[in-house]
Amino acid sequence: MTATADLLAPLDLAFWNIESDRHPMHLGALGVFSAHSPTAGAHAADLLAARAAAVPGLRMRIRDVWQPLGFGGAARETDPDFDPLDHVRLHAPTADFQAAAGRLMQRPLERGRPPWEAHVLPGEDGVSFAVLFKFHHALADGLRALKLAAGVMDPLDLPERAPRPIEAARRLPALPDVRRMPELVRGALSEVGRALDIGASVALSALGVSSSAALTSQPTGTRSIAGVDLDIDDVHRVRKAVGGTVNDVLIAVVAGALRRWLEERGDRTEGVAPRALIPVSKRRPRTATPQGNRLSGYLIRLPVDNPDPLARLDRVRTAMVRNKDAGPNRGAGAVALLADHVPALGHRLGGPLVGQAARLWFDILVTSVPLPGLGLRLGGQPLTAVYPLAPLAPGQSLAVAISTYRNQVHYGLVADAAAVPDLDVLARAVTDEVDSLISVCGP
């Protein structure tokens, strides 16, 4: 391995090593396009394959590293045998994009070649098609995946920006300057203190936890997905009436939908307050090198036990303010930062154990994925909706991802299909919860 090898960052390495056949660690997005003809889907597949070769990030595979200085790690490198046709697949027409995408999401990506896929699903109606993008979490976080997917969309007519300097690839650590040893020691002690603080917060977060058996499951490897569309104006209406942020409202909607879903199942809601992990990107907006996950997170209790929609929203808002005041580097939600303190070999050997421990840390993932406000197109066909899809942690049966695109909010629900056979009920509960909030907020 050369000194300029692009080693995986610790968190990327953790995602790479906790994966199993029943818990693939890829994220996804299901984009729905309008179509001018029944052949638009096939044309889109041709375009994706032709354009993928020109996107450097899509040519990157991940290989194990066993040389002494990187022992037990992994690195990104260009695949000399890259063939876009191995990654872009055109499927038979379907009447249900979400059912087809759910089956495709449960298939792990092939680890011997660049870990991404694009599945084109023509609609039986002849006036629409969908594209399911899958990216391994070790290759891309949500922002990086968005950048890679945008690279194969139709080019946007935007003003040119001044080029930014390109950061060198992640290098092997250099020996420290002995003149800086006191400073380095102080920094190391500070990092140890922060790690202990986060670890203690994780332990405390598990005390008195009351969740629901519906949110945990024995892994089956099956997946189902559901999408929900909301009008962003309805969300703003609630926000303006009660305060807080749009994100507060969207998280509170999840809490209310879970309550409605559990009640329809006949499950208890009294005292149920599952811990939701809210990922926080630590990537600077103008970071020159977008590879690698830069994630921390907030941890909040979803007030599923509270029957009052406005009280649920107030509790979510209060919890989010408390997390923001503490910052993304502290608290139980920042546990992802502990990956930086584990050597590469530790990630490789301990990956399965870390994956199993996720259910002790949080009960459900609720993440937001930013999308550009400009309309995207593929082969001249407009993107009308996009549903982000998060990976499921081992032992968990449900994950929620949210995006806002062109005045619409799109919820992407991913579930273990065997544990949650009624995902459509939860999807309907999301819409019902928004209607309830609007009604109690008044005109």
Side-chain angles (χ1 to χ4, degrees):
M1 183 177 63
T2 66
T4 58
D6 185 15
L7 291 174
L8 261 61
L11 188 54
D12 300 335
L13 190 59
F15 287 137
W16 189 244
N17 284 311
I18 67 176
E19 181 175 63
S20 68
D21 288 342
R22 291 191 172 186
H23 286 97
M25 289 303 298
H26 54 253
L27 47 87
L30 179 66
V32 180
F33 297 80
S34 62
H36 60 68
S37 76
T39 62
H43 178 54
D46 291 340
L47 284 176
L48 290 172
R51 293 171 177 174
V55 180
L58 296 179
R59 303 177 66 94
M60 303 299 287
R61 67 182 180 186
I62 296 175
R63 65 176 178 85
D64 294 334
V65 174
W66 295 108
Q67 285 85 348
L69 290 178
F71 191 78
R76 298 182 190 87
E77 66 176 11
T78 300
D79 184 356
D81 301 318
F82 175 71
D83 184 349
L85 296 180
D86 290 335
H87 303 265
V88 178
R89 287 90 183 261
L90 176 64
H91 294 262
T94 177
D96 191 336
F97 294 141
Q98 294 176 5
R103 291 189 293 271
L104 292 168
M105 280 295 288
Q106 69 192 32
R107 300 180 187 175
L109 294 165
E110 293 193 32
R111 293 167 69 94
R113 58 193 184 198
W116 69 274
E117 293 173 352
H119 297 269
V120 180
L121 307 167
E124 284 186 352
D125 56 13
V127 296
S128 64
F129 67 90
V131 179
L132 173 67
F133 287 102
K134 295 167 56 177
F135 296 98
H136 198 287
H137 218 326
L139 179 70
D141 59 11
L143 290 175
R144 173 66 173 166
L146 174 62
K147 182 178 179 67
L148 292 173
V152 292
M153 295 289 107
D154 291 356
L156 296 173
D157 186 14
L158 298 175
E160 292 189 8
R161 297 165 61 179
R164 297 194 302 269
I166 299 177
E167 183 179 306
R170 183 178 173 85
R171 299 176 182 273
L172 294 174
L175 293 175
D177 185 340
V178 294
R179 293 170 295 182
R180 296 184 58 239
M181 287 305 291
E183 175 187 343
L184 294 172
V185 169
R186 284 194 298 271
L189 290 175
S190 175
E191 287 296 304
V192 170
R194 184 174 66 154
L196 292 174
D197 183 34
I198 294 171
S201 296
V202 171
L204 290 173
S205 73
L207 297 178
V209 167
S210 182
S211 184
S212 169
L215 297 178
T216 60
S217 66
Q218 292 299 318
T220 68
T222 59
R223 292 291 181 271
S224 62
I225 71 169
V228 185
D229 304 320
L230 304 178
D231 192 322
I232 190 62
D233 289 340
D234 290 338
V235 178
H236 281 300
R237 182 178 172 185
V238 174
R239 177 191 62 79
K240 291 176 181 178
V242 300
T245 68
V246 166
N247 203 40
D248 294 340
V249 177
L250 298 178
I251 296 171
V253 166
V254 174
L258 288 174
R259 178 181 176 86
R260 293 169 182 272
W261 175 59
L262 292 174
E263 287 180 337
E264 187 154 344
R265 278 183 154 213
D267 292 349
R268 71 178 183 90
T269 58
E270 296 79 6
V272 173
R275 296 161 300 169
L277 176 65
I278 316 294
V280 177
S281 175
K282 292 175 62 64
R283 188 190 306 283
R284 294 189 298 273
R286 292 182 175 272
T287 297
T289 302
Q291 290 186 350
N293 282 276
R294 311 283 198 277
L295 293 174
S296 180
Y298 299 143
L299 199 68
I300 70 170
R301 299 284 183 91
L302 293 179
V304 172
D305 54 343
N306 197 311
D308 183 349
L310 291 183
R312 287 195 293 267
L313 177 51
D314 183 66
R315 282 174 58 178
V316 167
R317 182 173 61 241
T318 300
M320 289 299 288
V321 168
R322 184 168 56 248
N323 274 295
K324 291 172 185 176
D325 287 344
N329 295 327
R330 296 280 179 180
V335 72
L337 300 179
L338 297 182
D340 293 338
H341 300 270
V342 178
L345 187 59
H347 281 294
R348 182 174 295 276
L349 298 178
L353 294 177
V354 171
Q356 293 300 322
R359 66 193 305 175
L360 303 177
W361 168 28
F362 64 97
D363 302 300
I364 184 173
L365 176 73
V366 182
T367 183
S368 295
V369 181
L371 293 176
L374 298 171
L376 298 174
R377 291 175 177 270
L378 179 58
Q381 310 308 301
L383 176 66
T384 60
V386 56
Y387 304 97
L389 305 171
L392 278 183
Q396 295 176 344
S397 56
L398 183 66
V400 180
I402 310 167
S403 67
T404 301
Y405 177 70
R406 307 208 75 184
N407 299 318
Q408 291 286 308
V409 176
H410 302 292
Y411 280 78
L413 312 179
V414 178
D416 184 294
V420 185
D422 55 348
L423 190 60
D424 59 322
V425 176
L426 179 59
R428 186 171 66 249
V430 171
T431 302
D432 292 343
E433 180 64 12
V434 174
D435 292 341
S436 177
L437 281 168
I438 292 173
S439 66
V440 297
C441 287

